[in-house]
Structure formats: C-alpha cells, structure tokens
Amino acid sequence: MLLKEETHILDIESIRADFPILSRRINNYPLVYFDNGATTQKPKQVVDAISHYYSNTNSNIHRGVHTLSREATEAFETARKTIASHFNIKNDQQIIFTAGTTDSLNILSNGLTQSVLRPGDEIILSSYEHHSNILTWQLWAERNSGKLKVIPLKDDHSLDYSALENLITPKTKLISVAHVSNTLGLITDLDKIKTLAKKHNLIVVIDGAQSAPHMKVDLEKLDVDFFVCSAHKIYGPTGTGILYMSDKWLKQLPTTKPGGGTIKTVTFEKTEYAEGALRFEPGTPNIEGVIGFATAINYLNRFGIEKIHQYETELVNYAQDKLAEIPEVIVYGKSKEKAAVISFNVKDTHPFDVGTLLDKYGIAVRTGHHCTQPLMNLLCVPGTVRISFGIYNTKSEIDFFIEKLKKVITMLK
Ligand SMILES: Cc1ncc(COP(=O)(O)O)c(C=O)c1O
C-alpha cells in the first residue's frame, strides 16, 4: 500500500516487491504488517539463499574433506565474516552463532556464573528489560544469594540515569540493558551507562535485539563486553543470532555448552577446548540460518542502515503525530528519538480488543505485555497495543491504520 505521490529516501515500492508475504490479503484487506518488533518478514533473497543451500550445498560443516562439506563450511564462515564486518568487528571469531538473543543471554550468564559472578554479587538491569534479559540473571540471583537492581523510570517513561550511580555498590559486577526498549522504542543512553560502568569496573552487556534492525551498531566504537541480537528481527531466519564478546572475554569465558565442534582434543581424562568462536558452538549449528542471516545483512546493506534508521524515524514521528490527534489514545514513552516502536492504549478498552478488531482490517499489531511484565506493572496497565515498523512500511499504511483505529474506537465505545 503506497501512494504514488509518496517520496522516500528509499525506493520502498521496489523493497516491498522483495517481500512476497506483503502481497497477501488478510480478511479481504491488504496486509499491513506492524509487528516487526516480534519478527520481521523475509525478503525473497533470504528465502532463496536458504533454498539454494538445501538444493545445492547441504552438508555438515567443519572437519569434512568432501566438496559439499568444504562449500558449506565456506558459506558458514563467510557469513561470520559478513556479520562481523557489518558490526565493524575485525576479529570475526568474536561473533559466536547462537539460537538467538535469548540463547545468547543464557550462554553468557552461565559462563559468567562459572567464572566471575560470586554469591552475594549484584547485577543492574533497566525497568524496561525484556524477560529474556531478566530471567537468566534472576535464576542466578536466586541460586547465589545475588541481587538484581533496576534503573527506575521517570514520569516520561525514559530511564532515570541520575539514579544509576546510587544503585552501584562494591558488590555490583555487571549491568545488562536493552539498547532499545522492545515495548517503548526508547533508545538507551549507552554513553551514560558506559561512563559509570568504566568508573566502577562493571561488565557491560547490551541486548541489541531491537537496535540491530534499526540503527547502525558499531561494536568497535561501542566498546562493550557483550552484545546480543537475533537474526529473525533483522529480516533473517528464526533460530539464529549472535553473541558478541570482547577479545578479553573470548579468551576468558568458560564454555558451558560443550559438544562436538567445541574441542581441540578429547581423552576420557581431559578435553582441550578449541579457541575462538567454535569453543561456544557445540553440535551441528543452524547452517542455513546463519547463511540466511548473512544474506539479510547483505540485503540491508544495499540500502544502508543509516538511511533505514532515518526513514523509520520519519514513520515513527508521522504515526506519533497522528496518534496524538486522537483524544482517546495514550502513548507510552513519547519521544522523537525512537527506534521504530510505539506502544499505546485506547482509554477504557483492553489492548486485545483493539488488536483483534484491527486484524479484521488486515492490520497486524501486537497486544499484551510484550515480555515486559515488570514494565507493565510500572505503567499500571495489563498490556499495550504495539505498532513496530520495518523497512517496507509506509505513511499510507499508517494513514489506513489511523482511519481504522478511529473506527475501532467508536465500535468499542
Ligand atoms: C529487547 C529484546 N530482548 C530479547 C528478545 C528475545 O529475542 P528472541 O526471542 O529472538 O530470543 C526480544 C524479543 O522480542 C527483545 O525484543
């Protein structure tokens, strides 16, 4: 759905043609897909790369001498280089393939539990963390008499960084925060966090699940200990993601998920583990997923992530301005600096009702707690309606959504 007179810094019409699913009709309306925060749609280039892999190259990787195995290994390791280069990492071994953000955080917290975290230590999170970035640390805390501390929210729903330093004690070991809130779209001020972390010698973990799809992430410049994200939110396949770790941690973090591929030599008495990324990649990995992930990254880089960010910021501000004109709508975390996500509620209605009725017009939005129940408690709501944009969304779709939202509001009155 694109008006002819819409002009963009990107050729959205040809981008949309790359995503076969966008031509689907839902309930007799053209699909308006505003659920990109949950997962993005896949361009045909990604689908084709996976299909090509299975039709031509499928084989297990590493250790094989036959042609198919060597080709599959090369495709897998080239993907690692592509992804490392996208995040401006010179040593591609610092990119470890995992099953996604959640898996990366679990691998990481298990490794830190076995190495640097001690009983009674403290970990700092933010008020708007996804459950993935809460539960694994909470389990550690429960089992080790540890403590989780939380950066509070201000009245405008942004983080109160002025409260952060007071949370830090000699027992604080680590701070783990989302780069972008998956519910509010707010961008975390990582400079503030890193300055305090440096001063107090804290390990910094960045959950980039919602930043990597929408903005330039230069890991060399970011200079943090760990960064995690998922391919499926960046137009790649499900079941794949990365755990980036700094050079220091690549050497120090123990493997907690051993298996074939992670080793140099094994005897019944002792195992010597491999160096680099392989040490953290047990078993047969998601080969086609990794190849699809790199294809998605190459696809995005045809346009440039900075341009995508600029375009999506335009969409967010356009939608926020339109929502502000509807008196019944409450937007959470209103800011002009958002990464493609807006959460709102319609006064005196349940978000499920709004979402269900919007679906009747082919509009896919997410409703509920968005895996951020602690944030919902702070906002005093059971859930919100969340719209989240991707590279293929348009202002015409936002106009259509606003028109139908107004209709839904009158239906629910
Ligand atoms: C901020 C954030 N962290 C973690 C996750 C979990 O990602 P995955 O389900 O891909 O592991 C999500 C998913 O929505 C997210 O938005």
Side-chain angles (χ1 to χ4, degrees), residues 63 255 257-266 271-283:
R63 298 175 305 282
T255 180
K257 245 175 132 181
T262 63
I263 56 92
K264 234 187 218 166
T265 56
V266 180
T271 292
E272 193 186 346
Y273 283 92
E275 280 160 19
L278 289 191
R279 195 153 65 88
F280 301 97
E281 293 176 357

Side-chain angles (χ1 to χ4, degrees), residues 5-51:
E5 62 270 25
E6 273 194 45
T7 53
H8 301 291
I9 48 174
L10 297 168
D11 181 356
I12 303 299
E13 208 152 353
S14 80
I15 289 173
R16 287 180 69 85
D18 287 333
F19 290 81
I21 206 168
L22 295 181
S23 55
R24 263 204 70 177
R25 293 180 75 81
I26 304 282
N27 297 322
N28 265 334
Y29 288 92
L31 166 67
V32 172
Y33 188 74
F34 281 174
D35 195 17
N36 295 283
T39 199
T40 51
Q41 298 303 344
K42 320 305 170 198
K44 59 179 187 282
Q45 288 82 349
V46 168
V47 178
D48 289 349
I50 295 169
S51 164

Side-chain angles (χ1 to χ4, degrees), residues 56-274:
N56 294 280
T57 321
N58 178 47
S59 175
N60 213 327
I61 56 167
H62 303 135
R63 298 175 305 282
V65 293
H66 63 81
T67 302
L68 286 186
S69 177
R70 281 191 282 108
E71 286 179 3
T73 304
E74 188 174 329
F76 187 83
E77 291 303 331
T78 301
R80 197 192 304 278
K81 286 188 179 63
T82 300
I83 290 158
S85 157
H86 174 76
F87 288 112
N88 197 25
I89 294 300
K90 285 193 191 76
N91 176 9
D92 65 355
Q93 294 302 297
Q94 289 172 265
I95 298 292
I96 289 142
F97 290 119
T98 67
T101 303
T102 306
D103 189 38
S104 298
L105 288 167
N106 277 291
I107 293 169
L108 172 58
S109 72
N110 289 336
L112 291 175
T113 301
Q114 288 192 16
S115 52
V116 296
L117 293 176
R118 298 279 167 259
D121 278 348
E122 296 175 358
I123 287 176
I124 296 178
L125 307 174
S126 89
S127 290
Y128 52 52
E129 290 317 308
H130 188 280
H131 294 164
S132 287
N133 196 27
I134 300 175
L135 304 186
T136 186
W137 307 116
Q138 194 173 61
L139 269 185
W140 162 81
E142 281 167 10
R143 291 167 180 167
N144 295 277
S145 315
K147 203 180 212 176
L148 299 187
K149 289 184 164 175
V150 181
I151 310 172
L153 280 191
K154 292 201 293 195
D155 289 344
D156 65 357
H157 309 139
S158 65
L159 294 180
D160 185 357
Y161 299 100
S162 69
L164 174 56
E165 192 153 24
N166 285 337
L167 299 178
I168 301 173
T169 74
K171 288 183 173 173
T172 311
K173 274 276 169 66
L174 178 148
I175 176 156
S176 186
V177 289
H179 197 172
V180 166
S181 157
N182 68 301
T183 299
L184 303 175
L186 296 176
I187 302 168
T188 306
D189 188 338
L190 295 186
D191 285 338
K192 287 205 171 104
I193 298 213
K194 284 191 300 174
T195 305
L196 281 177
K198 264 212 166 88
K199 183 172 161 195
H200 296 274
N201 201 22
L202 309 182
I203 300 162
V204 178
V205 180
I206 305 300
D207 173 351
Q210 298 290 341
S211 62
H214 305 295
M215 59 176 71
K216 175 83 192 150
V217 177
D218 180 329
L219 287 176
E220 186 163 299
K221 250 197 220 146
L222 204 59
D223 189 24
V224 292
D225 298 276
F226 301 98
F227 179 91
V228 296
C229 66
S230 299
H232 72 95
K233 295 184 195 286
I234 324 176
Y235 310 98
T238 51
T240 311
I242 59 162
L243 163 60
Y244 155 84
M245 54 181 86
S246 68
D247 211 33
K248 167 185 136 185
W249 287 109
L250 188 62
K251 291 181 185 110
Q252 282 183 16
L253 198 75
T255 180
T256 51
K257 245 175 132 181
T262 63
I263 56 92
K264 234 187 218 166
T265 56
V266 180
T267 66
F268 280 114
E269 287 71 40
K270 187 160 175 58
T271 292
E272 193 186 346
Y273 283 92

